[in-house]
Amino acid sequence: MDLMAIPVLDQHAHNLIMPEAASRTPFRAAFTEGYDPDIIAHHAQHSLFYRRSLREIAQLLGCEPNEQAVLARRDELGLEQLTALCFNAANMEGVLIDDGLMPDQILPLDWHRPFVPVHRLLRLETMAEEIVGEAESFDDFLARFRAGIDPPPAEMVGLKSIIAYRSGLDVRPTSLEDARAKFDVWKSSGQGRRPRLVDKTLLDFLLMQALELAARHELPVQFHTGFGDPDLDLRLANPLHLRPILEDRRYRGAPIVLLHASYPYMRDAGFLASVYPQVYLDVGLAVPMLSVSGMGRAMRELLELAPISKLMYSSDAHLIPELYYLAAKWGRVVLGTVLEEAVRDSDLTAAEADEVAEAVLRGNARALYRLSVS
Ligand SMILES: [Zn+2]
């Protein structure tokens, strides 16, 4: 199936990085979740993802398929032209951007708007770190935190949590008193700078607060699950840990979106989506970062059990515009392959496969985030 003509709605991505910051970051750093200098210097260029992508980028930019030629051509184009080229080739009808990644090094949301319609995702942990400095007490902080979500700010279509990166997905019920007791130590831990939120008690407590408000407004909450950079304990990034939250009736109104195909826990995620009405799935980061066969396996395993109404396309693109293009290309190719197999296997008719392609690439996300079609 050729799905290139269907515009994608990218339901999870990040801002591009400012040119000044980009000049300090090696190009290939955008192709690995590792940040150890040895990984970037000696190994990142040898992943199947990087080898494949370098050729594809060279083809898009019209240059020789080597890093030097690609870098020279990127400089020649400049960021605006490069972005226009990549975003047009990606054929996107919109993008949901989590602007909480590297907040002081990224281009603002408005910078992206001439290239693609943008909607905002609010990263909970970043918001907490931004407001704690001004808060006079725990009660004041909590009031500000809740006011950041309720009522939902204009343009904000969902929440995002990176609790998997901080203390893991095994979120436990936490009392107001326990959270209050941890507040002063956290607030003073920044020593004049923005204090990083790593305390499990506070993280769990604030997530529950946010879920309660999200449920009230039926606001989707995206969770980082599965692989990511080495901040993460992958054992605690399995979405099965979310069971207490998924079982709790108070949070039932908040759709939960499991990002990154939960890789390598695709089947676990597929199971959750098959039994909990509020759980949704996403293919970002796994597409385009895995090998071609790995991307196929991820998509296939998610769909082994999960309803097709639950799966959504995203890129998790960040830093450079090329990732938006590579994800959109491979998201379509891999979905097309998996749907062809489903037709061959008699799981779907050809007409049904066409409907599923539309739903996964944009329809399911349009409905979940209540986005009007322009
Ligand atoms: Zn992300």
Side-chain angles (χ1 to χ4, degrees):
M1 290 172 76
D2 183 357
L3 309 181
M4 291 318 274
I6 304 176
V8 296
L9 178 53
D10 187 343
Q11 69 105 32
H12 176 88
H14 300 274
N15 311 54
L16 299 179
I17 195 171
M18 291 189 289
E20 307 86 88
S23 64
R24 297 190 298 267
T25 315
F27 177 64
R28 63 174 77 142
F31 296 82
T32 172
E33 287 292 299
Y35 42 65
D36 188 299
D38 276 347
I39 286 284
I40 290 167
H42 303 302
H43 302 288
Q45 71 272 39
H46 299 305
S47 70
L48 302 188
F49 171 43
Y50 189 74
R51 294 287 177 92
R52 181 185 77 227
S53 299
L54 197 62
R55 289 193 302 274
E56 289 170 343
I57 293 167
Q59 193 172 18
L60 182 69
L61 305 189
C63 65
E64 286 298 307
N66 62 66
E67 201 175 270
Q68 219 176 354
V70 166
L71 292 179
R73 183 75 183 121
R74 294 177 95 247
D75 279 349
E76 224 171 84
L77 287 167
L79 186 59
E80 268 86 3
Q81 266 200 70
L82 179 67
T83 303
L85 189 61
C86 292
F87 281 26
N88 285 339
N91 186 16
M92 294 186 277
E93 74 167 37
V95 59
L96 277 55
I97 293 188
D98 160 12
D99 57 359
L101 177 71
M102 305 161 64
D104 38 7
Q105 297 181 55
I106 53 176
L107 292 160
L109 290 184
D110 281 343
W111 187 93
H112 303 73
R113 292 189 206 280
F115 305 101
V116 62
V118 172
H119 310 274
R120 181 169 180 240
L121 299 162
L122 174 70
R123 191 188 280 219
L124 295 168
E125 293 80 8
T126 303
M127 178 187 41
E129 290 168 352
E130 273 166 6
I131 60 176
V132 65
E134 308 150 19
E136 283 160 18
S137 64
F138 177 72
D139 291 336
D140 181 30
F141 165 75
L142 186 55
R144 287 169 191 253
F145 181 81
R146 292 177 63 97
I149 303 168
D150 184 17
E155 291 198 333
M156 193 259 273
V157 296
L159 304 175
K160 156 85 185 287
S161 172
I162 53 157
I163 199 165
Y165 276 107
R166 298 293 174 88
S167 51
L169 295 178
D170 61 335
V171 178
R172 297 194 199 119
T174 307
S175 72
L176 183 77
E177 288 66 38
D178 288 347
R180 191 197 305 275
K182 300 291 185 117
F183 180 72
D184 288 340
V185 175
W186 170 44
K187 183 172 158 69
S188 58
S189 67
Q191 294 169 329
R193 306 171 93 203
R194 192 192 290 179
R196 194 171 146 83
L197 178 55
V198 289
D199 181 87
K200 179 166 172 57
T201 304
L202 281 166
L203 283 160
D204 287 0
F205 178 78
L206 292 176
L207 180 65
M208 303 285 195
Q209 293 284 310
L211 283 170
E212 178 211 317
L213 297 172
R216 187 181 299 169
H217 294 283
E218 296 177 356
L219 207 53
V221 185
Q222 300 186 349
F223 278 80
H224 176 106
T225 65
F227 76 136
D229 70 48
D231 254 7
L232 183 86
D233 182 341
L234 187 55
R235 290 167 296 192
L236 294 175
N238 186 322
L240 293 180
H241 286 297
L242 292 172
R243 184 168 194 273
I245 287 174
L246 302 178
E247 283 288 318
D248 196 321
R249 305 295 302 189
R250 285 174 298 174
Y251 309 136
R252 188 52 74 90
I256 303 289
V257 182
L258 308 176
L259 297 175
H260 310 143
S262 300
Y263 181 87
Y265 307 115
M266 286 84 74
R267 289 165 150 176
D268 308 54
F271 161 72
L272 294 175
S274 77
V275 294
Y276 291 105
Q278 74 271 40
V279 172
Y280 290 80
L281 305 172
D282 160 84
V283 298
L285 199 63
V287 176
M289 209 167 196
L290 304 180
S291 68
V292 172
S293 76
M295 292 189 283
R297 184 174 305 124
M299 193 101 68
R300 214 172 276 122
E301 291 195 356
L302 287 172
L303 285 176
E304 280 178 12
L305 189 57
I308 48 101
S309 50
K310 299 290 201 128
L311 183 64
M312 295 181 288
Y313 166 79
S314 88
S315 64
D316 201 24
H318 52 289
L319 304 177
I320 60 170
E322 287 92 331
L323 294 175
Y324 284 83
Y325 162 66
L326 295 169
K329 171 182 173 176
W330 284 102
R332 293 184 179 99
V333 171
V334 170
L335 180 62
T337 306
V338 171
L339 292 177
E340 274 167 17
E341 286 169 11
V343 171
R344 217 162 36 232
D345 291 346
S346 76
D347 285 330
L348 295 172
T349 66
E352 284 171 333
D354 288 339
E355 280 168 35
V356 176
E358 268 284 337
V360 171
L361 293 177
R362 59 178 175 177
N364 290 342
R366 269 186 194 163
L368 187 68
Y369 299 95
R370 289 173 280 184
L371 301 176
S372 53
V373 182
S374 53

